[in-house]
Amino acid sequence: MRFKASIQNITTFTKLTASLNSLGPLAWVKLSEEQVCFTIIPEQGTQVWAVLSIDSIFRDIFVQSAANNVINLEVPLTSLNRALKSALNATSAQIRLTKKDNMPMLALTIVTTASSNALPPATANNDDGFDAPFDDEFGRGNRETIVTQEIPVRVLAPDTVAGLHEPQCRDPDVHIVLPPLMQLKSISDRFTKLALADTKSGSGTIASRTRLELAANMHGCLKMSIRTDALSISSVWTDLNNPELDPSQVVGGENGIAAHPSTRMKQLGSADGRSDEGWALVRIDGRDWGKVMSVGRLGGRVIACFCHEHALVLYVYLPQDDGDNESVLTYYVSSYSA
Amino acid sequence: MVVLNFTLTPQAASKLHDLLVCLGKFSDTVAVEARREKFTFTALNSSKSAYAAVTLDGKLFFTKYECIPSSGGPDGRFTCSMYTKALLSVFKGRLYDPLGRDGAIDRCEVSVQERENETQCRFIVKMVCNQGVIKTYKLTYEAVDVMHALFDRSVAKNYWSMSSGVIKEYIEYFGTKTEMLDIFAGEDGRCVFKSYTEKISNGKEILKHPLVTAVAVSTSDFEQFTVQAGTHIVISVKDFKAIVVHADTLKTSLKAYYSQPTRPLQFSYGCDGLLCEFTLMTSGDYTGAPLTSTPAPQTLGSRGASRAPLTVTDRTSIRSDMPPPTEPASRRDRSGRLRNPGSRQSSSAAQEDPESLFIPDAQDARRREDDEESAWAPLDYEKEETLGWDASADHDASVFPTFRDSGSMSTTNMSDSNEVFEPTQRVSQIKGLW
């Protein structure tokens, strides 16, 4: 079993691990030479199934195993993120699977040069402060430092992961491109906070208090609202984009689109978001939603698919992708019943 | 009856703050030893594995320094012990502020009150602030006997020194929660700082094991490096971090002296009349690598010899007595790549505007990045958002003719209500309004 790769895009990889880490401490990582999959299945809350093309994070990848050259690992995300952070200013970084004392680990080897602000001070009694230490800088090597970070991992047998399946969902009623996530996050955080403050002395579990209602229609509207005994607030976005379905991707082609739930939803509701009709609604936990929104740091395009009173599925497309080998993170948020 | 008076500039007082923060990481109490010529703070940690001494020179560090111990003549001393936290609440941060903002002082006067005709013995600190405000603090102290850890540098054949700023970069790579630091002098012209934790458990727990971080530094990055190749020396990573962070506040070089594992190691640094010495317990070669019989090659640079003091010749001769342990496997695996760094530039550098005339400030960029990062983090709803409340009572209402109840009235009111409200009180605590 061998895995070795150069990290092509350290920033993306670091942000990815940070986003995933907010949902759960452990990730199932499936490595092959075609793609890398990160899956987070927390005990409760949102699941993430991310499929990344190799070149969105790695370069010169080498994967070899007895099981069809696929390696399954369980990786602690906090450690991985921490290790990757030390590579942010690196000139190069490599990752490989290795064993130490019979324990598997991912070894991250980072080549870095010290930044200029850490140059050695000039002589101790350098009073004028203008005596820049250039001699030292050029005289004492190029300050190349090699940092190795060893992240403990667990190798998962093919049988262990065979039972893990990506959730299946019926065709969505509404699909819509979400507004910038930072905007969405700051508003949902504010809502959640207000709901928590309002009912601090009241009854009910915390989960029932922080329940956000998220709804969208096929006319470019998104509505977020929260309701408690004392308050009811909502924000409505209009003029968002409902992407057209691609007949080649829908079962049944053109006919399939005609029968698609979203086609029916197009007949209902209005573009100003005032109509009561045509909304597909889900109830989600505000705090869990805040964790999901953490993916915004990757800066990708997000399409939300609403299955009315059932589930919300987010597709996050990494920005630098070029059509063919797309990297997509899929978030499955299930809806609470009323 | 001791006489101890000294005066500090704001800069010196702020240095006192920094060193107390550092000593506070070793012990809850700090011991003071004042002599005619110098003033020393010492701290010993609870497991007695680390001893710290910071010596302040009477002439260089202080604006004015006077110490006449009650007995002992020229070698006499005054010793006592105080809570580090108590001292820190007096020597706060930002005592020195060139812009003269809140908290800045003009000078600091310290005296010890220990006379037979006075009932209280106190350590008195007067902070003379701007606009004629004087804050006086009276601290209690405990009379103790101060002991010092002895360290014989002539036995410590291994020696290195390095800019504290550079080492500070290295410690930032270390994972949180690690315990040990192994400083290893390799035979390939590299020195490895490795932070790790002794194995704790197996099975599922293995994933909770902290990161193992090894930072391999070229020995030419050291200002001086004279260490027997193959020497492993293990100390506490927490102590090392505390020392490096403090050394960096002084922007000096950190010097290390040691002989072999299980013998003490000393870190030393200082400038402008302030000298810090930390004597730490070390533990053995944790890898337990078998010793080979090949003598250590004399690779440790002509450069070191040319810079180092004369004693270096002695050191090199002794060095060959100790054979090095074999290289651990983890390093051997990597050695092929050591001198083949990738040519790729870091992505953050690539994003910089090539047209810009300004060199980006790395720290500034990092701060911006941190801000950005925290904005994306899930919000911590436990964190209370409160309005600031100035409890300093500086704006005393009595200055203005305002109405107030008679003294007796207000005291009875106070004793009536058993419930004490915080200045920022929850709405839910107000009874009867709603």
Side-chain angles (χ1 to χ4, degrees), chain A residues 313-327:
Chain A
V313 183
L314 301 185
Y315 296 96
V316 182
Y317 297 92
L318 289 197
Q320 72 273 27
D321 273 323
D322 46 353
D324 290 347
N325 37 11
E326 258 184 351
S327 297

Side-chain angles (χ1 to χ4, degrees), chain A residues 109-120:
Chain A
T109 308
I110 299 152
V111 180
T112 177
T113 43
S115 64
S116 53
N117 63 355
L119 281 173

Side-chain angles (χ1 to χ4, degrees), chain A residues 11 74 82 86 90-91 94 103 115 118 139-140 143-144 146-150 182 185 189 287 297, chain B residues 166 169 172-174 204 206 212-214 216 220-221 303 334 337-338 344 346-347 373 376-377 381:
Chain A
T11 325
E74 193 172 20
R82 169 82 202 147
S86 60
T91 46
Q94 283 203 321
M103 304 225 262
S115 64
R140 198 171 294 145
R143 296 214 163 278
E144 188 173 274
I146 296 160
V147 182
T148 333
Q149 302 273 22
E150 291 170 343
M182 187 46 102
K185 181 181 192 299
D189 282 349
R287 288 179 304 170
R297 74 184 88 203
Chain B
V166 175
E169 285 207 346
E172 280 164 8
Y173 295 124
F174 295 165
K204 188 82 177 171
I206 191 80
V212 176
T213 308
S220 62
D221 283 351
R303 134 169 261 116
R334 203 180 49 221
R337 252 177 286 127
L338 285 181
R344 213 176 61 79
S346 77
S347 56
E373 279 295 294
W376 284 117
Y381 297 104

Side-chain angles (χ1 to χ4, degrees), chain B residues 34-36 67-78:
Chain B
R35 290 175 184 268
R36 279 172 196 269
C67 174
I68 306 168
S70 46
S71 62
D75 286 332
R77 56 181 197 163
F78 165 76

Side-chain angles (χ1 to χ4, degrees), chain A residues 7-8 10-11 15 18 22 26 59 74 76 79 82-83 86 88-92 94 96 100-101 103 109 111-112 114-115 117-121 125 139-141 143-154 181-182 185 189-190 192-193 196 200-201 286-287 290-291 293-294 296-297, chain B residues 163 165-166 169-170 172-176 190 194 199 202-204 206-207 209-218 220-223 251-253 272 303 307 330 333-334 337-338 341-348 362-363 366 369 372-373 375-379 381-385 426 428:
Chain A
I7 301 176
Q8 156 100 353
I10 294 163
T11 325
K15 287 181 177 175
S22 58
L26 297 174
R59 192 178 41 150
E74 193 172 20
S79 298
R82 169 82 202 147
S86 60
L88 283 176
N89 293 317
T91 46
S92 79
Q94 283 203 321
R96 69 200 162 85
K100 205 168 89 180
D101 300 335
M103 304 225 262
T109 308
V111 180
T112 177
S115 64
N117 63 355
L119 281 173
N125 295 319
R140 198 171 294 145
R143 296 214 163 278
E144 188 173 274
T145 303
I146 296 160
V147 182
T148 333
Q149 302 273 22
E150 291 170 343
I151 305 133
V153 294
R154 222 158 59 101
L181 292 201
M182 187 46 102
K185 181 181 192 299
D189 282 349
R190 177 58 45 184
T192 311
K193 211 164 184 176
L196 277 172
K200 240 168 198 157
S201 55
R287 288 179 304 170
K291 295 175 186 171
M293 286 294 97
S294 158
R297 74 184 88 203
Chain B
S163 151
V166 175
E169 285 207 346
Y170 301 156
E172 280 164 8
Y173 295 124
F174 295 165
T176 47
R190 293 222 163 235
K194 178 170 175 176
K199 215 183 295 170
N202 262 318
K204 188 82 177 171
I206 191 80
L207 295 179
H209 211 277
L211 278 180
V212 176
T213 308
V215 182
V217 186
S218 165
S220 62
D221 283 351
F222 287 80
E223 286 155 1
K251 305 282 170 227
T252 62
S253 297
D272 305 329
R303 134 169 261 116
R307 284 164 168 261
S330 60
D333 289 348
R334 203 180 49 221
R337 252 177 286 127
L338 285 181
S343 54
R344 213 176 61 79
Q345 286 297 310
S346 77
S347 56
S348 66
Q363 272 195 327
R366 206 176 307 155
E369 232 164 64
E372 212 172 284
E373 279 295 294
W376 284 117
L379 194 67
Y381 297 104
E382 304 301 313
K383 213 160 57 187
E384 286 270 326
E385 214 176 7
R426 295 238 176 88
S428 61

Side-chain angles (χ1 to χ4, degrees), chain B residues 185-201:
Chain B
E187 286 163 46
D188 52 355
R190 293 222 163 235
C191 176
V192 181
F193 294 92
K194 178 170 175 176
S195 92
Y196 66 101
T197 306
E198 304 273 51
K199 215 183 295 170
I200 35 172
S201 55

